[in-house]
Amino acid sequence: MNIDEFFYEIENMNDCSTNIIEKIKSHNLPVVIFGAGSYAKVTARALKKFGVKIFGYAVDSEYYNVISSDSLNGNAEVLNFADLSLEPEKYVFVIGMDDECYDGDRTFNLIKDKNLNLYAIVGGAPLTKEYILNNKTKFFETYSMLSDDWSKQTLIAYLKLCITHDPAYIYKFARKYQYFNELTKDILSDAQGSYVDCGTYRGDTIEKYIGVGGKYDKIFAIEADPQNFIELEKFIRTKGYKNVLPLNCGAGDMNGVLYFNMQASKASSFSKSGIEIAVKKIDTLVGDEKIKFIKMDIEGSELSALKGAELTIKRDKPALAICVYHKAEDLITIPQFIKSLHEDYKFYLVPHSLISSTEFVLYAFS
C-alpha cells in the first residue's frame, strides 16, 4: 500500500466529533447510561457538556441492589437493565462502562444487540482529521514500521475511529488481556530479568503479571501519585509479594522535581501546577539490573520516560508495551524514538478497548 491508498478513505471521511451527540438527541428518548462506576460518571459529564440530560444509570440485575443513586451524587436513578430491556425502543443507551471490567465480553454483547439504540462516547487521544492529514507522511512512516498486516490495518481502523468517533471501526481488532497476552507470553516465561511497571496505580497490573505466571528477578513499581502509592504499598504487603520495589516518583527524562496533578486515580498526571513530586530516569532507578520488560501507561509522559530509559533500552533491548493514545503525536514520536535506539525492534499495535480510543498499545520486541 502506498501513501495515497493509505489516506484515500480517511481524506473522504467527515469529522464527526459531534455527530454521536446529534444522533443521541435525534431519538427524543430518555438517555440511559449503561454502567454506574467511574467511567459512567465521565460519560455523564461528557453528555451534560453537550446539553444531554441523563434519565438514569442501568446496571445488570446482580448489581441493581448494590449500587445506590447516592454513589452517583443523586443525579439520576440506578435502574435495572433487565426491566428496561423489555421495552428497549423507549430508551437511548450510552455505554458508560470500562469494558476491561468484563474483559470486553459484556460490552461486546451490548454492541451486538440490534434491539438497542446504543451509542458510545469515544474518548482518548486528541487526534483530529486535521492533525492526521497535516502529518500524512509521518503517520505513513509509522504504518511502514509495523511488522504485520494486522497491525497496519489496526492503525488505519484507529485513525478512522478517531475521526468518526464510531467504535465500529475498531471492534474486530480489539483484544483482551492488555500487556500480558500472546505477544508477550515468551517474555513473561523468561526466568531472567526484571519488569518495570511504569504507572503501577494501586497494583492491578502487578497482580495480573504475577497472576499469569510472569517470572522476574525484581519488579520496579513506579507510581507518582502519593495517594495511589500508599494503597500500592499496602497492596504489596497484603499480597506478600517478594522482590517488588515500590517507587513513589514519576518517570521522566531527568532527575529532578515536577508539578503533579494528584487525582488519586489512573488519570493522575504531570501538570503546570499542583504538588511537587520527584522525577527519576528509569536508567537511574534500575541501575545495572537486567530489564526484560517495560510497560508504560503514564498519561502522556511516555516519551519522556522512554528517553529516561535510553541506556537501559540500548543495553538490554527489553520488550516494551507503551500506551500511545494520550497525545496526538504519540503514534509518531514514540515508535520513531524506539527505532532510533535499536533498528531491529519490531512493532505491533493492539487496541484493548472495544468502545473508545483509549488503551491503545504499541508493543515492541527486539
Side-chain angles (χ1 to χ4, degrees):
M1 177 181 288
N2 61 38
I3 191 168
D4 293 327
E5 293 171 327
F6 176 65
F7 277 99
Y8 174 74
E9 284 188 82
I10 289 174
E11 287 176 326
N12 288 281
M13 283 182 161
N14 292 322
D15 192 334
C16 299
S17 57
T18 60
N19 279 11
I20 297 297
I21 299 295
E22 291 169 1
K23 288 178 181 178
I24 290 170
K25 288 181 176 180
S26 71
H27 290 274
N28 291 313
L29 293 171
V31 175
V32 177
I33 296 175
F34 187 93
S38 59
Y39 198 96
K41 294 176 184 177
V42 171
T43 303
R45 286 197 294 271
L47 290 170
K48 289 174 183 177
K49 177 182 174 183
F50 288 99
V52 177
K53 185 178 180 181
I54 309 303
F55 177 74
Y57 297 83
V59 297
D60 287 323
S61 299
E62 59 263 41
Y63 303 105
Y64 178 57
N65 293 318
V66 177
I67 300 172
S68 71
S69 59
D70 292 340
S71 66
L72 298 160
N73 301 320
N75 292 329
E77 278 189 83
V78 176
L79 308 167
N80 191 335
F81 180 71
D83 295 335
L84 303 183
S85 62
L86 296 175
E87 298 179 297
E89 71 281 357
K90 291 186 176 181
Y91 306 96
V92 172
F93 295 94
V94 180
I95 296 175
M97 180 181 65
D98 189 344
D99 45 3
E100 70 180 16
C101 294
Y102 293 89
D103 282 329
D105 291 339
R106 188 64 184 97
T107 305
F108 189 65
N109 289 335
L110 282 173
I111 289 168
K112 290 193 299 183
D113 191 337
K114 302 301 183 184
N115 294 317
L116 301 178
N117 300 310
L118 183 72
Y119 298 93
I121 305 296
V122 173
L127 269 176
T128 63
K129 181 178 180 179
E130 180 183 16
Y131 183 87
I132 292 168
L133 294 181
N134 285 343
N135 292 275
K136 288 172 62 173
T137 302
K138 292 178 180 177
F139 277 108
F140 188 69
E141 286 174 3
T142 297
Y143 173 87
S144 301
M145 289 166 62
L146 296 171
S147 296
D148 65 348
D149 186 62
W150 188 263
S151 294
K152 291 178 177 180
Q153 294 306 312
T154 297
L155 175 60
I156 294 172
Y158 185 76
L159 296 180
K160 290 178 180 179
L161 163 71
C162 290
I163 291 171
T164 65
H165 285 215
D166 185 351
Y169 286 108
I170 210 72
Y171 293 163
K172 77 172 183 177
F173 297 100
R175 292 292 179 266
K176 299 180 184 181
Y177 315 122
Q178 189 169 352
Y179 311 128
F180 316 125
N181 47 48
E182 286 297 308
L183 283 173
T184 57
K185 66 179 182 180
D186 291 340
I187 305 299
L188 300 178
S189 63
D190 185 353
Q192 296 184 335
S194 295
Y195 164 49
V196 176
D197 191 315
C198 197
T200 307
Y201 184 49
R202 300 184 177 187
D204 55 334
T205 44
I206 289 177
E207 184 175 33
K208 289 178 182 177
Y209 181 94
I210 294 174
V212 297
K215 298 178 180 178
Y216 61 91
D217 293 328
K218 291 181 182 177
I219 294 179
F220 294 88
I222 303 171
E223 176 53 45
D225 188 301
Q227 189 59 51
N228 288 340
F229 186 74
I230 291 171
E231 297 300 322
L232 172 62
E233 285 190 306
K234 186 188 303 181
F235 176 79
I236 293 170
R237 286 196 304 270
T238 301
K239 289 289 185 177
Y241 291 147
K242 304 298 182 184
N243 298 319
V244 177
L245 180 62
L247 299 162
N248 188 198
C249 62
D253 57 2
M254 57 102 176
N255 296 318
V257 174
L258 288 176
Y259 287 112
F260 190 75
N261 175 22
M262 188 177 76
Q263 297 190 29
S265 73
K266 292 184 179 181
S268 300
S269 61
F270 292 122
S271 63
K272 294 181 179 180
S273 62
I275 64 169
E276 289 188 348
I277 64 160
V279 178
K280 300 286 186 181
K281 292 182 178 182
I282 288 175
D283 289 336
T284 301
L285 294 172
V286 305
D288 295 330
E289 196 75 31
K290 175 180 169 56
I291 304 302
K292 67 172 184 174
F293 188 18
I294 299 175
K295 159 258 169 182
M296 289 184 185
D297 183 2
I298 46 176
E299 306 305 313
S301 295
E302 285 82 4
L303 181 59
S304 177
L306 284 166
K307 290 179 178 178
E310 180 174 346
L311 298 178
T312 302
I313 294 171
K314 285 182 175 179
R315 182 190 68 205
D316 297 334
K317 297 183 182 179
L320 305 171
I322 313 297
C323 287
V324 287
Y325 64 88
H326 294 111
K327 291 182 176 179
E329 63 269 25
D330 282 347
L331 277 165
I332 297 169
T333 58
I334 289 175
Q336 287 181 351
F337 177 74
I338 296 170
K339 196 74 170 179
S340 74
L341 301 182
H342 274 299
E343 276 292 325
D344 57 352
Y345 262 112
K346 292 180 168 49
F347 297 99
Y348 303 86
L349 278 174
V350 182
H352 293 288
S353 173
L354 285 166
I355 62 169
S356 76
S357 54
T358 63
E359 313 313 327
F360 198 49
V361 179
L362 176 74
Y363 294 87
F365 307 95
S366 63

